[in-house]
Amino acid sequence: MEALLCKKLGDPASASVGNESEPSSSPIEVIRNYPIPQLNSPTAVRVKVKATSLNYANYLQILGKYQEKLPLPFIPGSDYAGTVDAVGPAVTKFKVGDHVCAFAALGSFASFIVQDQSLLFGLPKGCDLVAAAALPVAFGTSHVALVHRASLSSSQVLLVLGAAGGVGFSAVQIGKVCGAVVIAAARGAEKVQFLKSLGADHVVDLTNQNLTASVKGFLKSRKLKGVDVLYDPVGGKLTKESMKLLNWGAQILVIGFASGEIPVIPANITLVKNWTVHGLYWGSYSIHRPAVLEDSIQESISWMEKGLITIHISHTYSISEANLAFSALRDRKAIGKVMIVFDDMGRSKL
């Protein structure tokens, strides 16, 4: 099978992906004849991967800057969708040919992956597998953050930073499903139009607008006091600026640090304003609160079926073009999700 192997740490966007016959300086390499994983338990399921999603965590893992350090070599990759290829003798939930999506700690950047049946989610017939592969991490993260942690309601104002990115666009949509007033921040006219199409009530173009002034103007026009929930996958200076907009009793959802800067949230201001700060490492829910994680993905799939949310694919690439995929992610060219698709020739921007 084909697999993308990380053999050393470094920037996967820095050079073309190598292979067995054409070595490269890239930290990642395509192995064309990597062994197909075998079923490792009676309840194991092997999935033929149709598509896998790129998340910023995958990029950080290969850079060696993720919070969990991984032993080399490893196959990166987390969420994916595909078709059941083989099942163990005790599998009761799935049969060969079923369509599924899932989240794995590692290993989805390969044409086959094995996981226990309890970790897989069935998909309806006719479901777009490329879109479904983009759902677990992005929408699972935002669902846990907004629904389980913040208990976002229709009476509240949600501010989403990095709103056109992989998790940001899911937060905008889930915010609207919850009935909240949604303010989105992003950079560039194309991203602004995209976010308006998702139903954002107000969009700030950070290339030519001041976040504080723009949001305050909107809040005043709606006779609203301030922001109740801050969804922050960006960090850095933008976090500091956003804190000026928060209401008494507001909630801050710390999702990530795409800016590369970890912000400081002053404890004294948190105390005086009665803020609640939620750190959200979604992947760890599989260990500590698996039922919550399962609920987040199941409800997201249900919302997708009902048309309440839509999966926006920005770029698709083949596995040999993984450097270009990571470049689109690193350079913030994506509007929505970046995907690696198997059995797909060439790349496209949708």
Side-chain angles (χ1 to χ4, degrees):
M1 72 170 186
E2 283 190 318
L4 191 73
L5 196 65
C6 177
K7 291 190 170 183
K8 60 183 180 181
L9 300 180
D11 187 350
S14 62
S16 298
V17 179
N19 55 54
E20 298 99 321
S21 58
E22 298 179 12
S24 164
S25 60
S26 173
I28 52 177
E29 181 178 319
V30 174
I31 308 299
R32 302 292 182 191
N33 295 305
Y34 199 85
I36 295 176
Q38 301 302 304
L39 300 178
N40 52 15
S41 80
T43 54
V45 176
R46 186 168 64 214
V47 178
K48 186 177 189 298
V49 178
K50 172 60 180 176
T52 181
S53 168
L54 268 73
N55 297 289
Y56 200 70
N58 307 134
Y59 179 63
L60 293 177
Q61 286 170 343
I62 297 171
L63 281 176
K65 295 183 178 180
Y66 196 58
Q67 54 256 37
E68 293 178 357
K69 305 303 179 186
L70 304 173
L72 295 167
F74 64 88
I75 298 173
S78 44
D79 45 352
Y80 65 93
T83 305
V84 173
D85 173 73
V87 297
V91 170
T92 58
K93 293 183 176 180
F94 302 101
K95 64 183 184 300
V96 172
D98 284 349
H99 289 169
V100 295
C101 70
F103 163 82
L106 288 170
S108 70
F109 289 6
S111 47
F112 290 92
I113 189 171
V114 170
Q115 285 195 279
D116 190 82
Q117 66 172 348
S118 63
L119 301 175
L120 301 177
F121 297 87
L123 295 170
K125 290 182 179 180
C127 179
D128 182 342
L129 290 179
V130 178
L135 183 140
V137 171
F139 283 88
T141 296
S142 294
H143 187 281
V144 170
L146 297 173
V147 177
H148 288 276
R149 297 293 289 276
S151 299
L152 184 68
S153 70
S154 59
S155 64
Q156 294 182 311
V157 177
L158 168 67
L159 171 58
V160 181
L161 305 182
V167 292
F169 87 99
S170 65
V172 169
Q173 293 187 70
I174 290 176
K176 294 308 298 179
V177 172
C178 293
V181 174
V182 178
I183 302 170
R187 294 183 182 275
E190 189 178 1
K191 292 180 178 180
V192 168
Q193 291 304 313
F194 167 67
L195 292 166
K196 287 180 178 179
S197 75
L198 295 182
D201 296 278
H202 180 67
V203 184
V204 183
D205 186 349
L206 296 172
T207 58
N208 53 33
Q209 290 180 297
N210 175 270
L211 178 69
T212 303
S214 179
V215 172
K216 283 186 174 180
F218 169 75
L219 293 171
K220 184 177 180 180
S221 72
R222 289 287 191 95
K223 297 181 180 180
L224 297 166
K225 291 182 178 180
V227 171
D228 300 297
V229 178
L230 171 63
Y231 183 97
D232 184 9
V234 177
K237 296 178 181 178
L238 209 53
T239 304
K240 184 177 180 180
E241 189 173 353
S242 299
M243 288 190 287
K244 301 173 185 176
L245 301 164
L246 300 183
N247 274 332
W248 184 96
Q251 300 185 75
I252 300 172
L253 295 161
V254 181
I255 307 300
F257 315 107
S259 68
E261 297 179 31
I262 298 175
V264 174
I265 301 173
N268 60 328
I269 299 177
T270 302
L271 183 152
V272 171
K273 295 197 173 184
N274 280 266
W275 290 343
T276 300
V277 181
H278 301 275
L280 185 72
Y281 176 22
W282 181 79
S284 66
Y285 271 77
S286 63
I287 300 170
H288 301 287
R289 297 282 179 85
V292 172
L293 186 146
E294 181 177 353
D295 175 72
S296 74
I297 297 179
Q298 290 283 20
E299 187 158 46
S300 296
I301 292 173
S302 173
W303 286 349
M304 180 177 67
E305 286 185 74
K306 295 173 182 176
L308 296 176
I309 59 173
T310 54
I311 315 297
H312 293 262
I313 307 300
S314 177
H315 297 71
T316 64
Y317 296 92
S318 67
I319 195 168
S320 62
E321 299 173 312
N323 62 305
L324 301 177
F326 279 111
S327 179
L329 192 72
R330 180 195 65 184
D331 300 338
R332 302 181 186 181
K333 296 175 183 175
I335 301 176
K337 293 294 293 183
V338 178
M339 309 295 296
I340 288 177
V341 179
F342 290 87
D343 302 322
D344 186 80
M345 301 302 291
R347 62 182 183 275
S348 65
K349 182 179 180 183
L350 305 180

